[in-house]
Amino acid sequence: MSESTDATAAGTGKADKAGVTDRADAVDAVDAAGPADAAGPAGRIAAGYAFTGPALDLGALLWDGACLPDRQIRIPLAMLNRHGLVAGATGTGKTKTLQLIAEQLSAGGVPVFLADIKGDVSGITAPGVPGERTDQRARDVAQSWQPTGCPGEFYSLGGIGPGIPVRSTVTAFGPVLLSKVLQLNRTQEQSLGLIFHYADTKGLELIDLKDLRAVVAFLVSDEGKAELKGIGGLSTVTAGVILRALTAFEAQGATEFFGEPEFDTSELLRTTADGRGVVSVLELPAVQDKPQLFSTFLMWLLADLYTDLPEVGDLDRPKLVFFFDEAHLLFSGASKAFLESVTQTVRLIRSKGVGVFFVTQTPKDVPADVLAQLGNRVQHALRAFTPDDAKALKATVKTFPHSAYDLEELLTALGTGEAVVTVLSENGAPTPVAATRLRAPQSLMGPLPAADLDRAVKSSPLWSRYAEPVDRESAYERISAEQAAAEARAEAAAAEAEAGKQASKAAARGTGRGAPKEDPSLVEQVVGSGLFRSLARSIGTQLGREISRSVFGTARRRR
C-alpha cells in the first residue's frame, strides 16, 4: 500500500498502521510553498485535499503542464461509502486505479470486492515487481513505493473458470434480476413475477433452472392453469417465451450458476487476523462473452448484501467497497423497474456501510438518477475522434463542478495513469477539480500465474464449503413425484372401474336385469382432484408463509 511522501516532500505526514495517512499538517505544506503560490490556483486546489483524518493517497497534482509532488490528492476514508465513478477510454488506466484504491482500502482494514473482467486484477494478491517505469512514477509523485500484496480470495460464477464457485438459487435471485438476464419485456417480467409469487406462497423452492421450468410448465397445464386465474393468469404464449428464454440461457452455460450450496455474501466482509481487509476477486474471463449474465449477477451480490446488512449510518470507514466493472452492461436495455431498483439500492446501501464504485467508459453510461448518488469521481482520458465522442466529452465536462482547468481540452490530453479527480471532503462538500498523476499500485500489475491462482483457490477454507454442487429435492422433484403419483392413482382407478364394469356385466347376465348405474365416486375423486390438489396438500404444511422479498425481488429470508 502507498505510504506518504518521503523527506523530499515535506509536510505531507506519515503513513499510519491502517495504510492511510493522517493529514493534519497538509495545510502547512501549502503554506510552506510560499504565500504567492498558496494563493494561486494550484495552492487553492491542494488546500481542498488537506484532510485531517485518514485518507487514501491517489497521486500528485498536475498544474500548468507540471507534476507537483508536494501537492497530494487524496480521498477521505470515511467518504468511501458515498459511492463513486471511475471512467475513461480503454487503455487509460482504469484497472490500475481500481488496484491502487483497493490495496489501500485493504491495508486500512476495509474489505473490497473486485470484478476481474479481463483477468488482469488477480495480481493484487502478489507483491509488485520493481522496474524503471514504476520507479519513475514513484519519483514523479513522491511515493515511497514498496512491493506489497493483499490478502485475497478468488471466486468464479458457478465454478466456470478458476475460483471458488459462487452460486445462487433461483428463488434467491428473484424475478426482477432474472427478467433482466432473460431480456424479457415488461409484460413478460410481470408474468415471471407472478410465477415466483405462486412458488413462494406454495413453498415451492426454486433451486435451479429446471425447478423454474417445471413450475412454468405446470401452471399452463390442464391441472395447473386455474391456479393463477384469480390473479391474472399466465398465458401459454408468455409461458412459451419464458421457457424458450430459459432454454437459450441454459445453452449459454447458465445451469452452472444456479444451485446449491448458495454463496453467503457475508464472506465478502472478512478481515484477516492482522486487521487487513480481504480483497475478493470474482474471476470473469471465462464468461466475459456473457455480459448480461455477469453484470446482473454482480447486482445480485449487491442486492443480497443490501437485504442482509443492518443499518449502521456513517462510519469512520466503510464495511465494504464494491467495484462494479463494465457498469454500462448493467444498464443496457434495462427496464424501468430494474433501473428504479438499482437507484434505490445504491441510494440506501450507503447507510449500511457499503460503498459502490461504478467503472465504465463515460459517465453517460450510468443513468442520471444513479449518477446523482455518486460523490467521488476519477475521470481518465476520453477520446474525441468521432462526433459521438465529442458529444460524450461535452456531456462529461458538464457533470463536473466549476473548475480552474479547461476540462474539455484537459480530458483529451491526459496520459495513461492520469485523471481528473473530485471527491467529497470530510464535511461532505465536493473538493476542487484536480488533474492528478496517479500513484503506482504496489501489488503485481498483471495476472497471477495460473499455478499460483489455482493453488490459492484450492488452499482456501471456503473451497470445501462451496466447491461441490448439491442437488436436493426441490420444485422439479416434487412436481414430478406428484405427477407420477397422480398418474398411478388414475391408472389404478381406471383398472378398478374396468373391473367393476366387468363384474356388473357378469351380474347382469346372471340376473337378466340391466347393468346398474356405475358409482363414479372413486374415479371422480381421483380425476377431479388433479395434480395441484395433491401437490398443495404435500407442500402447504412445509413452508407456512410466503417468502419475503426485497426491493430488488431477491429473497429476504436466508436459506
Side-chain angles (χ1 to χ4, degrees):
M1 133 123 205
S2 299
E3 296 180 352
S4 58
T5 59
D6 56 21
T8 62
T12 55
K14 296 182 178 180
D16 62 17
K17 292 182 180 179
V20 292
T21 50
D22 193 347
R23 304 301 178 184
D25 54 357
V27 177
D28 296 336
V30 176
D31 294 338
D37 187 49
R44 289 194 293 271
I45 293 171
Y49 293 86
F51 309 124
T52 59
L56 307 186
D57 296 316
L58 290 182
L61 180 69
L62 291 170
W63 180 257
D64 199 21
C67 182
L68 309 178
D70 59 337
R71 311 297 193 194
Q72 291 292 304
I73 305 303
R74 309 175 184 92
I75 303 179
L77 186 59
M79 293 292 112
L80 266 294
N81 71 334
R82 296 306 202 274
H83 309 322
L85 177 74
V86 178
T90 300
T92 55
K94 297 191 298 295
T95 301
K96 299 302 177 283
T97 298
L98 302 190
Q99 196 168 338
L100 173 66
I101 296 174
E103 63 187 22
Q104 293 187 70
L105 285 168
S106 174
V110 179
V112 176
F113 175 88
L114 289 172
D116 187 8
I117 306 294
K118 298 183 290 292
D120 54 358
V121 183
S122 58
I124 195 169
T125 60
V129 178
E132 183 178 345
R133 294 178 63 183
T134 301
D135 292 343
Q136 182 60 53
R137 176 59 61 105
R139 287 192 295 270
D140 288 347
V141 300
Q143 176 185 7
S144 179
W145 190 91
Q146 296 292 332
T148 308
C150 300
E153 293 281 9
F154 297 97
Y155 299 98
S156 64
L157 286 187
I160 296 182
I164 298 162
V166 175
R167 302 181 186 91
S168 167
T169 64
V170 174
T171 286
F173 203 73
V176 177
L177 292 173
L178 190 58
S179 295
K180 175 67 166 61
V181 176
L182 298 178
Q183 301 182 46
L184 303 181
N185 63 30
R186 179 63 173 164
T187 300
Q188 294 155 2
E189 179 180 344
Q190 291 172 340
S191 295
L192 187 62
L194 198 62
I195 294 166
F196 271 78
H197 170 73
Y198 170 79
D200 291 350
T201 55
K202 299 303 179 184
L204 286 169
E205 272 199 284
L206 308 176
I207 303 298
D208 48 30
L209 292 177
K210 71 177 184 294
D211 291 324
L212 179 58
R213 182 185 294 280
V215 173
V216 174
F218 167 69
L219 289 175
V220 292
S221 68
D222 292 338
E223 294 89 349
K225 64 175 58 175
E227 299 312 315
L228 296 182
K229 192 171 183 180
I231 51 175
L234 176 66
S235 75
T236 55
V237 174
T238 299
V241 171
I242 293 173
L243 290 172
R244 286 193 296 274
L246 286 173
T247 300
F249 193 35
E250 289 171 320
Q252 296 176 9
T255 305
E256 304 292 335
F257 308 133
F258 294 97
E260 291 183 320
E262 184 178 10
F263 183 69
D264 185 348
T265 50
S266 65
E267 307 284 10
L268 305 178
L269 303 174
R270 294 183 298 132
T271 56
T272 60
D274 61 0
R276 292 182 295 167
V278 173
V279 179
S280 299
V281 183
L282 183 63
E283 292 294 325
L284 295 171
V287 293
Q288 62 179 301
D289 59 336
K290 303 174 180 64
Q292 291 284 350
L293 174 64
F294 69 68
S295 64
T296 310
F297 211 94
L298 292 179
M299 197 65 231
W300 170 75
L301 290 174
L302 193 60
D304 196 69
L305 284 166
Y306 167 75
T307 299
D308 287 346
L309 288 176
E311 294 281 341
V312 293
D314 290 327
L315 303 173
D316 59 352
R317 63 191 64 204
K319 297 176 71 173
L320 172 73
V321 176
F322 194 103
F323 288 92
F324 211 126
D325 204 358
E326 302 292 343
H328 63 283
L329 300 173
L330 178 70
F331 303 111
S332 176
S335 68
K336 182 179 179 182
F338 183 85
L339 293 177
E340 288 173 351
S341 298
V342 173
T343 303
Q344 187 167 354
T345 301
V346 172
R347 180 184 297 121
L348 299 179
I349 203 169
R350 179 193 66 79
S351 63
K352 300 195 174 190
V354 177
V356 182
F357 272 72
F358 291 99
V359 185
T360 188
Q361 295 200 0
T362 71
K364 72 180 183 64
D365 293 334
V366 181
D369 288 344
V370 176
L371 198 63
Q373 308 299 319
L374 312 182
N376 304 300
R377 294 274 301 275
V378 180
Q379 176 68 60
H380 288 267
L382 291 174
R383 310 304 181 204
F385 297 138
T386 69
D388 286 344
D389 291 342
K391 185 177 179 180
L393 174 62
K394 290 181 181 294
T396 299
V397 169
K398 291 179 181 178
T399 64
F400 278 94
H402 176 74
S403 171
Y405 298 92
D406 181 346
L407 289 179
E408 194 166 334
E409 179 180 346
L410 176 63
L411 286 174
T412 58
L414 292 170
T416 302
E418 297 177 346
V420 173
V421 175
T422 179
V423 302
L424 292 182
S425 66
E426 292 163 312
N427 62 8
T431 58
V433 175
T436 307
R437 181 163 295 165
L438 299 167
R439 292 184 169 215
Q442 297 185 130
S443 54
L444 181 64
M445 290 187 283
L448 201 64
D452 292 346
L453 178 56
D454 185 66
R455 186 163 45 250
V457 171
K458 299 293 177 58
S459 63
S460 168
L462 301 181
W463 176 254
S464 60
R465 189 180 309 170
Y466 295 107
E468 291 299 322
V470 176
D471 188 11
R472 63 182 174 90
E473 184 183 68
S474 51
Y476 172 80
E477 289 78 11
R478 287 160 67 184
I479 289 176
S480 298
E482 288 299 332
Q483 188 171 21
E487 289 174 355
R489 287 192 296 270
E491 289 176 0
E496 186 174 343
E498 181 63 26
K501 283 183 180 181
Q502 296 301 325
S504 297
K505 289 179 179 179
R509 286 195 297 270
T511 62
R513 296 194 303 266
K517 184 177 180 181
E518 181 181 333
D519 183 3
S521 59
L522 181 60
V523 177
E524 289 178 353
Q525 180 181 354
V526 174
V527 177
S529 64
L531 174 60
F532 169 71
R533 294 181 187 177
S534 176
L535 184 62
R537 282 196 300 271
S538 68
I539 65 179
T541 59
Q542 295 190 29
L543 188 68
R545 62 186 177 87
E546 182 177 356
I547 293 174
S548 177
R549 293 191 173 275
S550 70
V551 64
F552 235 119
T554 55
R556 287 183 182 275
R557 190 168 53 85
R558 174 64 67 191
R559 278 70 55 199

